[in-house]
Structure formats: C-alpha cells, structure tokens
Amino acid sequence: MRLTSFVDLTHPLGDETDVYPGDPEVRLEPHATIAADGFNLLAVQLGSQSGTHVDAPFHFAADGARVDELPLALFSGPAVIVDVSGLGPHGRIGRRQLDPLEDRLHEGVVLLFRTGWSAHYGTERYYAHPFLDADACSGALDCGVRTFGLDAPSIDETPIEEGSGKDYPCHRLIAAAGGVICENLTRLEDVTFADPFVSLFPIPLSGADGAPVRAVAFRLEA
C-alpha cells in the first residue's frame, strides 16, 4: 500500500488568518533570531478554533470529550465529498443533497461539504456561507457518520447580524453524538480522484474544545 495524489486542505496560520468574529487573532512574532541568539524561535498566539481546525464535543457540550481525549480514528477515514457549490449565500444543505448518498454514509466515513466558499476566505462574504440543515445532520448521524467538515467557517449558519442569536443546532447534535467537525477547509475542488482518504489530525491541546489541524486528502493505492 502506498499514498499518492496528496492535496493540502489547510489554510496557513499567520497574522492574516481569518478568524470567526470575536475569536482571538493569530499572532506570530519572533522570540529569538539567529542574528541575536544563534537560533530562530517563534512565539505563537492563537485560539483553539484558529484556521483550519476541528471542534471537539466539549466546544458545545459541558460534559463532552476534549480534543486530546478523542480516539484518533475520528480524525481520518475514507471521504465522501458532497458538491454543494451551487448554493448561494446562506444556502441550506438539506436531505435532498444527502439522500442520494445514503448508501455511502456509515461509521468511519468522513463527510465533507464542498461549498466553494473558501474562494471568499478573508472577505466579509466568507461569513454568508452555506450551512448544514439540522434535519440533514441528524440523518447523517443516524447513518453512523461522526466526522463532518466543510470549506466554510461554520457548519451552522453564521448569524447575519452581530448580536443576533443562533442555537448552532448541528454543533450541538454532533457534540451530543461524540462527533467532530472540521471547519475552514480549502481546495476541496482539487480532490478530483475517486475514493479519497482524508486525515484531520489536531494538535492535542490539553483539555481544549478544539485545535488547528493539518488537513490532507490523498489516495491509497495497492
């Protein structure tokens, strides 16, 4: 068995990283330099949900598992990529997009939604992204799916106006089921080969609600 056709699905982390409204900004600053100290060392400041990251159940469930407590099997597996790039701003991903794929949805599958919204990363339009309907989320969970991801800032609708309330239903449903969500993916359109395998392994931040990942899609060949 060998790995081929790698596609990096990760936004780089840096001072220009787009963060969810209200989250900590990412800051990278030299702590030591070769000129001054004989070696380079970077000081890193970020939030647990910075850049391409996974949400652990603890993000929305007080008694949910932290990111460093979860089984590694949740963060990799064969991917089913659903192309919903035809949806417009605040478009709803519903049962009609998932029902035709029901025979491919089962335990161990990584369910990814290609919204095309990573093209708007770094702009205000990025937060008008399509989102997953709660009923469709429940259907995928009923099939055994526990790992979800998309190329947008949230699997739930981002509030249209600052201060407006949202219940984040998919976050809560997935957290209650012990599942994980990977957000801010990119380049899903470059995964053009059949039967991709995806890894979404997070940094094991102790006791955290989530962590940045290096998300990669690749092909497994005999």
Side-chain angles (χ1 to χ4, degrees):
M1 187 72 69
R2 65 192 185 106
L3 313 182
T4 64
S5 305
F6 291 90
V7 179
D8 192 346
L9 306 177
T10 316
H11 286 287
L13 278 172
D15 291 352
E16 302 303 316
T17 295
D18 195 318
V19 300
Y20 198 82
D23 281 7
E25 299 287 340
V26 176
R27 292 288 179 263
L28 307 181
E29 298 178 351
H31 178 76
T33 65
I34 290 175
D37 308 285
F39 58 92
N40 287 318
L41 182 66
L42 196 64
V44 178
Q45 174 184 308
L46 48 76
S48 57
Q49 307 278 321
S50 294
T52 306
H53 67 274
V54 294
D55 296 354
F58 182 59
H59 187 39
F60 271 87
D63 60 349
R66 276 70 163 170
V67 74
D68 57 325
E69 298 172 337
L70 290 165
L72 291 178
L74 275 175
F75 303 112
S76 66
V80 172
I81 302 177
V82 186
D83 183 0
V84 292
S85 56
L87 294 174
H90 300 283
R92 187 181 295 269
I93 305 166
R95 287 266 191 173
R96 65 185 181 89
Q97 283 92 3
L98 289 185
D99 284 349
L101 303 169
E102 190 170 3
D103 62 339
R104 298 176 59 196
L105 302 182
H106 51 77
E107 184 179 355
V109 160
V110 178
L111 178 58
L112 303 178
F113 298 100
R114 178 164 73 87
T115 70
W117 233 250
S118 62
H120 305 299
Y121 185 80
T123 72
E124 188 174 337
R125 184 176 172 84
Y126 189 55
Y127 293 93
H129 59 90
F131 63 96
L132 183 62
D133 177 81
D135 182 56
C137 181
S138 293
L141 289 168
D142 289 344
C143 290
V145 176
R146 291 297 180 269
T147 307
F148 297 75
L150 77 170
D151 53 353
S154 176
I155 200 166
D156 284 303
E157 186 177 18
T158 296
I160 296 172
E161 297 179 1
E162 187 174 352
S164 62
K166 289 290 178 183
D167 193 40
Y168 301 98
C170 292
H171 277 88
R172 297 185 188 280
L173 287 167
I174 295 167
V180 297
I181 306 163
C182 188
E183 296 164 328
N184 291 324
L185 291 164
T186 189
R187 290 184 287 277
L188 284 174
E189 66 276 6
D190 292 340
V191 185
T192 57
F193 45 89
D195 301 320
F197 199 91
V198 171
S199 66
L200 308 168
F201 294 109
I203 301 170
L205 298 178
S206 181
D209 55 277
V213 307
R214 184 67 178 267
V216 179
F218 51 90
R219 176 185 286 172
L220 292 171
E221 292 185 355

